[in-house]
Every structure is written in structure tokens, then in C-alpha cells.
Amino acid sequence: MSLYVYKFGGTSVGSTERIRSVAEKVKKAHDLGDQIIVVLSAMSGETNRLIALAKEMQAQPTEREMDVLISTGEQVTVALLSMALHELGCDACSYTGGQVKILTDSTYTKARILHIDEARIRADLNAGKVVVVAGFQGVDGDGNITTLGRGGSDTTAVALAAALKADECHIYTDVDGVYTTDPRVEPKARRLDHITFEEMLEMASLGSKVLQIRSVEFAGKYNVALRVLSSFKEGCGTLITYEESQMESALISGIAFNRDEAKLTITGVPDLPGVAFKILGPIAEANIEVDMIVQNIADDATTDFTFTVHRNDYQRAKTLLEQTCIDLAARKVTGDNGIVKVSIVGVGMRSHAGIASTMFKTLAALGINIRMISTSEIKISVVVDEKYLELAVRELHAAFELDKVPEIA
Ligand code: ADP
Ligand code: ASP
Ligand code: MG
């Protein structure tokens, strides 16, 4: 007998008909004799609807109340799925994160899971029940409801799989696996049979929202066999693995992009020790995450300093930087919140030179100005104007022949 965790995302539970078909799929697996834990998202659009309701009530609601509100979407779907399973004659029991209990820290709206009580779930599984758990939510040490950040049901699923030592964790969604890039932007994108944890982690952190980053971190750390599949059609999906694939010898596995970027520049900063700290200190204190950082020394012993932040934090960061500009007697602050980041990712680039130049040549041929560049062992990211996003992704996809199955090494 195997233990599986199945997670179904918002579109997969977007209507009562869809919940019924999830119930049929779950029952089928359960009838084969396997133990099944199901983790559900809210119905598609529901979390956004709840956030909009909150904004109607108060411009800046407290994060604690936000979590009480936005955790409700998942409570609806777990109850409905349990009912659908009962209707099919399958014993099932639904739980909220707090009931399980999925213990988190108290960082409302982006809490981290600290511990999962397995007793209640284990007892139900041993009694032959399907256990249905609300994704995206937990409870802190004081009993407050917390949520795990957007897309957090993926992390609930992987954390449960790790805690209960499940044989596999299946993430059922509206695509049939992880693709070379978002198929909504490049229809020629190709499904990957497998991708390494390292690559998936980069793809997720660079903007591929098919899996929440923390779910991939968790799966890597606790060695959870993780698979992304379609809830609508049969197939083996994409397996996230440790080993670099023997079968595929791609230099680049995928292209990720992030539309939520903004950049800020402060020019004419005196080139002295401690300047970077003076610029970024107030930004960090305001809890604003900084992504790329570039510093250039000018001829006149001053420096220009550019960094990127999430677009939602742009105005706040700009106001803080304008104050720093006065404090440091720097020249001026400029900013742009119409930029995007496009990244190519692949463990294969570690051992190959010339990947960056192919990327830059492709963008140059399109007349796309690269505004910032950052690299690591397995990724190259560029910042470009947002109007070039689709073009850049598609042309890079073609330049690296990602639509073709790589030759066997
Ligand atoms: P769910 O509601 O099931 O959690 P998500 O919307 O969070 O689904 O994730 C699935 C979506 O991720 C797909 O519809 C697709 O547009 C997007 N996506 C982005 N990058 C990729 C990629 N590399 N491969 C597959 N899907 C991707
Ligand atoms: N419902 C939450 C969201 O929309 C969590 C999830 O779907 O994973 O972000
Ligand atoms: Mg998701």
C-alpha cells in the first residue's frame, strides 16, 4: 500500500462539477488500495476576490485579519470535496490547517511551516478514510490563523508529504507538467519529463509560478518525490529529480520571467565605504526585498547604484531612496516600474561557455536594450522593458532550440 499526497489547484476545483471530477479521480486511486491525502486550493479567483473585499473595507488591513479572511477560500473547497466523496460512497474527512495542526511561525501572509502533527491524519488514513486538508494555511503557537503566501497550497502538500513520508506528492494543475517556459507566452513550449530540484528552484524563484518556491525547497530538503501533472488529462507529467537527467543533455532547461519588477537608481553617490549599506539599510528596514544590485564607479570618484524591487514596493522604496539621496548629498534618484526580468536556466550551462553571448546576441538582433544583467552558475537574468517580454521569451526559446527534444548525451 502506498501513500500519496494529491494537491489540486484553483482551476481544478473551480466549480462544483470540477470538484466532483476531482472526487472521482481520488476515489479511483483510493479504491486501488492506496492511502490518499488531498490538499486543495480555493476555487480559482476566490483568493483575489477576498483580497479585493478587504481593500474595500480598509486601505491597509492588518495582516492578521487578512489571513483570517483569505484562509476561508480553502475551507469551502475541502468541505465540498468531502461531500462529493461521501456522495460517491467514499469515506473522507476535511480539515483546516489549524485543525491538523500545521504549526507555523507568526509571519502573517507569508508564514513558514514549523511542524505538522501527523496523529490525526494517520488515524484517519488507518481507518480507511481519505483525508482532505485545506492548503495555504496554518496556525501559529498562539492559535492565530496564518497563510503561507500566494501559491502556498503547493507547500502544504509537500510539507504533508514530507511529514507523513508519502511515496509521492502529485501537484495537479491546469498544465500537464513543467514546460520549457510558460506555455501561455510561448505556445511552442515543450513539457519536460524531468527537471532537477536545482533548476526548478531557479525557475520558481525567477518567476515561474507553476510551483511555489518554498514547496520546491521543502521537497529538495526532505527528499519528497514531486510530480506536476494535469488534473484534466492523463499523463506522467514532470518529475522533479535530484540527478541530472541521463537522457537529456540540454544546456538550457527553461526560460523564466517576472513581470513584477521595478528598478531604482541613485547617481553621484560619494564612493566611500559603507555607502551600499546606507542605501540599502533603510530599504531592508522597511521590509522591502531587493533582488538585483549593480554598482558602477564613475570617473569622478562617485558611484551609481541600481537595484530592483517588487513593483508593489516601488513607490515606498523610491521615497526612502530620495531621503537617502539628500542624506548622502548624492546627485539624483531615477526609477522605472515598467521593466521585467527574463532568465535562462539550466544546469548544463555550468560546463559550457558562450551561453551568455548567445543570449545577448539574440536580444541585440531584436534591438532590445538590456538594462541589467545578473548571472549565477546555472542562470543568466536580464532586465528589459516590459513591452519586449513576450518577444524576448519566444526568440530566446527559439535560439536555444527549446522546442526540440535534446539529443541523447
Ligand atoms: P494552480 O492554480 O493549479 O496552483 P498555477 O496558476 O499556480 O496553478 O500554476 C499553473 C500555471 O503556471 C500554468 O497555467 C502556466 O501558465 C504557469 N506557468 C508558468 N511557468 C510555467 C512553466 N515553466 N511550465 C508550466 N506552467 C508554467
Ligand atoms: N488560494 C491561494 C492563492 O490563490 C493558495 C493557492 O492556491 O495555492 O494564492
Ligand atoms: Mg499555484
Side-chain angles (χ1 to χ4, degrees), residues 96-106 111-122 133-134 137-141 144 146 148 155-165 218 221-222:
T96 64
Q99 285 175 311
V100 163
K101 120 187 202 193
I102 297 177
L103 183 71
T104 71
D105 63 19
S106 305
R112 282 182 179 272
I113 296 177
L114 302 173
H115 180 76
I116 294 183
D117 253 356
E118 58 171 295
R120 203 161 176 179
I121 296 182
R122 195 68 82 183
V133 181
Q137 55 181 264
V139 65
D140 76 0
N144 297 299
T146 54
L148 309 178
T155 302
T156 305
V158 176
L160 279 168
L164 283 112
K165 301 188 180 57
F218 238 106
K221 191 163 161 195
Y222 296 100

Side-chain angles (χ1 to χ4, degrees), residues 7 10 41-42 47 74 136 149-154:
K7 179 254 169 179
S41 289
T47 311
E74 274 73 7
F136 179 53
R150 298 307 303 269
S153 300
D154 298 334

Side-chain angles (χ1 to χ4, degrees), residues 2 8 58 71 119 129-130 135 140 148 167 193 214-215 221 234-235 251 256 260 279 294 313 318 366 390 402:
S2 300
F8 294 88
Q58 200 181 9
S71 59
K129 292 184 192 175
V130 171
D140 76 0
L148 309 178
D167 293 277
D193 286 333
R214 283 186 189 164
S215 71
K221 191 163 161 195
E234 293 296 315
L251 303 179
D260 304 325
I279 295 170
V294 174
D313 294 326
K318 191 154 184 257
L366 298 165
E390 280 80 8
L402 291 180

